[in-house]
Amino acid sequence: MGKKFVLIGAGSYVFTRNLVRDILSFPAFQDATIALVDIDDHGLAFSRRAVQGIIDAGNYPAKVIATKERREVLPGADGVLCMLMAQPLSVFRRDLEICLEHGVPINVGDTRNPAGIFRYLRTVPVMLDLLRDIEELCPGAVFLNYTNPMAMLCRAMQEVAPDVMTTGLCHSVQGTAEKIAKIVGVPYAEMDYLCAGINHMAYYLKLEHNGKDLYPALRKATLESREIYEQDIVRNEMFLATGYYVTESSGHFSEYSPWFRKRIDTLHKYCYRGTSWNTGRTNFTIELREERLRNMDADLEKFLTEPMDLSRGNEYAAYIFNAIIGDGTQYSFNGNVRNFGLIDNLPSGACVEVPVTASPNGLTPHPVGSIPAAVLPLMCLTSQLEEMVVASSLHDDPELIYQAMIYDPLASAILDLREIRALTDDLFEFSKPWLTQYHHLK
């Protein structure tokens, strides 16, 4: 009997079609049932057509079903994938606008900083409801999360539902490793690296090819090539300062740190120049998503009518499913799990991103020791801040959000304590309709 995979938030149809393509590329899953779930009729219909196109192109014996009601399809699921957006784009846009009105220029805001914190607060009730459904209807399923804010959501879910096999996945580790391989001129498949930290703030602690350290070649290329430097100015500045390369893009990292977005001159120096993706203006990624929605019809027709590439991509999910519930081939990846003896100098129990092995025995995270001193302070502060935010949401303590916000690296580089209080109050006022975890919110 074929396996069953449920995709929550499947209206994100480009991501959905890539994940389904990868799943169906494994022989063990070619007769699978693919259940697509989304509350948006339009996006759900597009995803169903795209998935059926993949099934037809591969001549797979799989079948696809689509529904707005996840409880209809969760019973019997072997794997669950989540990439939902808990509110419309207009809500996330308003987060960024409120921050900018208070002088804090955030360009993505989906992972941390004031906008990311409130995105988490509005999203976590939805995610915990989903986890409760999984516990009831398919408790043995493998649950893989792609929804941001990754670290805080995984931290909350893994505490509330520890018996569900859960990890969070992000493409920044393998994507950045591929980028580095091109810069230093070695085959990506031959690179040997150890990457660890927290999501979007993990570093390559080891970076080798045939036993040779690749960091000297990477540093030389960064210093001598203006083109390479300006492709990723923020990350390259961090690398030159600390000696370690961070996994997340310049755009994201600029909003997790106190150095790059605090004044108009630093924005122009580090974020508005060069060729780095999404480093500059507020709402860039919101506008990009809105453009994709406008072009969805044309993109889908192109996808369905042109020759379809069914080769497997580099996202982790399908490989993990194959290792645990497919043919059993072990697979190593970087996943988001709780820190129980994995990283010595980050908070115990916090969500960390470390090497994990998937096998028929499940998910086995691997200890990596200590994070180097050169990159530890910002990472440790961020991890502790995330612990405060998660505790606030799980224990009905909204004051903890303000106390976390005062330590946010970007907000605290720009605002004083009372200004951060005003920003926090405005974000709470806007988000109140979705904050069901707080029972006495004024």
Side-chain angles (χ1 to χ4, degrees):
M1 187 174 179
K3 300 297 184 183
K4 183 179 184 180
F5 298 96
V6 179
L7 283 70
I8 310 292
S12 176
Y13 102 100
V14 174
F15 200 31
T16 292
R17 75 191 192 195
N18 290 341
L19 291 172
V20 172
R21 175 204 63 203
D22 291 355
I23 289 169
L24 295 180
S25 71
F26 283 96
F29 303 144
Q30 290 180 356
D31 61 347
T33 295
I34 307 295
L36 308 177
V37 181
D38 204 284
I39 60 174
D40 178 67
D41 290 312
H42 192 60
L44 189 60
F46 272 66
S47 291
R48 181 171 190 162
R49 287 186 62 197
V51 170
Q52 188 61 56
I54 294 169
I55 291 172
D56 294 343
N59 196 28
Y60 298 125
K63 68 175 182 178
V64 58
I65 54 179
T67 179
K68 296 171 74 172
E69 301 294 336
R70 66 176 183 245
R71 289 181 63 86
E72 292 180 358
V73 292
L74 281 173
D78 299 284
V80 181
L81 280 159
C82 184
M83 52 274 198
L84 64 80
M85 289 182 61
Q87 292 86 36
L89 283 173
S90 58
V91 175
F92 302 126
R93 173 187 283 272
R94 186 63 190 141
D95 278 341
L96 304 185
E97 291 170 347
I98 291 171
C99 290
L100 190 59
E101 288 166 6
H102 286 262
V104 182
I106 294 169
N107 62 310
V108 183
D110 69 351
T111 303
R112 48 182 67 102
N113 65 46
I117 288 171
F118 277 84
R119 181 170 180 146
Y120 162 80
L121 293 177
R122 293 191 306 265
T123 303
V124 71
V126 179
M127 299 297 283
L128 295 183
D129 282 347
L130 170 59
L131 262 289
R132 283 187 277 269
D133 285 349
I134 291 173
E135 286 183 302
E136 176 189 350
L137 301 172
C138 52
V142 181
F143 177 61
L144 304 180
N145 177 53
Y146 278 101
T147 296
N148 282 322
M150 178 63 67
M152 290 187 284
L153 288 174
C154 287
R155 169 67 176 83
M157 292 188 294
Q158 289 163 351
E159 175 168 330
V160 171
D163 293 333
V164 177
M165 191 185 302
T166 303
T167 192
L169 306 177
C170 177
H171 56 258
S172 62
V173 175
Q174 70 270 43
T176 299
E178 290 176 353
K179 168 189 170 70
I180 293 172
K182 291 179 182 177
I183 292 174
V184 299
V186 302
Y188 169 66
E190 297 178 9
M191 283 179 60
D192 180 21
Y193 62 81
L194 171 64
C195 187
I198 60 176
N199 180 242
H200 285 194
M201 204 181 286
Y203 291 82
Y204 297 89
L205 309 184
K206 180 176 75 171
L207 195 60
E208 296 180 350
H209 177 246
N210 293 332
K212 181 181 179 181
D213 184 8
L214 292 175
Y215 265 130
L218 181 59
R219 185 176 184 87
K220 185 174 187 292
T222 303
L223 287 169
E224 296 180 1
S225 170
R226 184 179 184 87
E227 178 183 0
I228 289 172
Y229 172 78
E230 293 199 342
Q231 284 176 358
D232 240 335
I233 293 176
V234 169
R235 281 206 287 191
N236 285 327
E237 284 291 323
M238 285 301 299
F239 168 47
L240 295 175
T242 67
Y244 293 93
Y245 208 85
V246 71
T247 51
E248 193 45 51
S249 66
S250 285
H252 267 309
F253 197 86
S254 73
E255 58 180 6
Y256 306 154
S257 54
W259 306 294
F260 305 105
R261 307 184 70 84
K262 61 183 176 180
R263 301 189 307 266
I264 191 65
D265 61 310
T266 58
L267 270 170
H268 281 281
K269 184 176 182 180
Y270 298 110
C271 300
Y272 285 128
R273 57 187 282 261
T275 56
S276 300
W277 183 75
N278 81 321
T279 54
R281 69 183 186 273
T282 296
N283 281 337
F284 177 88
T285 54
I286 302 293
E287 292 166 0
L288 187 65
R289 287 176 179 268
E290 290 170 342
E291 182 180 359
R292 286 175 181 169
L293 288 173
R294 289 192 295 270
N295 296 331
M296 190 181 290
D297 291 86
D299 185 75
L300 178 60
E301 292 307 315
K302 181 179 180 181
F303 177 73
L304 293 175
T305 56
E306 294 186 353
M308 201 175 292
D309 182 5
L310 298 179
S311 56
R312 201 175 296 153
N314 70 350
E315 293 289 351
Y316 294 142
Y319 296 88
I320 296 169
F321 285 141
N322 185 61
I324 299 173
I325 57 174
D327 69 17
T329 302
Q330 285 195 2
Y331 181 67
S332 295
F333 66 100
N334 273 68
N336 286 269
V337 295
R338 294 191 69 186
N339 184 30
F340 295 123
L342 302 175
I343 297 181
D344 296 338
N345 49 357
L346 287 181
S348 178
C351 183
V352 293
E353 195 168 76
V354 296
V356 178
T357 298
S359 73
N361 294 321
L363 299 171
T364 305
H366 301 288
V368 297
S370 295
I371 297 297
V375 296
L376 177 64
L378 182 60
M379 189 189 302
C380 193
L381 170 65
T382 304
S383 183
Q384 291 170 319
L385 185 156
E386 290 175 342
E387 286 288 280
M388 294 172 72
V389 173
V390 172
S392 168
S393 70
L394 295 183
H395 303 295
D396 194 3
D397 186 358
E399 182 65 9
L400 258 180
I401 297 302
Y402 166 68
Q403 292 165 348
M405 293 264 281
I406 67 175
Y407 293 104
D408 175 74
L410 180 57
S412 62
I414 299 170
L415 306 178
D416 66 27
L417 295 175
R418 294 195 178 194
E419 290 168 335
I420 293 175
R421 170 70 79 179
L423 171 58
T424 306
D425 289 346
D426 282 356
L427 287 167
F428 262 122
E429 182 63 29
F430 170 67
S431 292
K432 265 196 297 190
W434 300 282
L435 302 184
T436 58
Q437 66 271 48
Y438 298 117
H439 297 102
H440 305 288
L441 189 64
K442 295 180 181 179

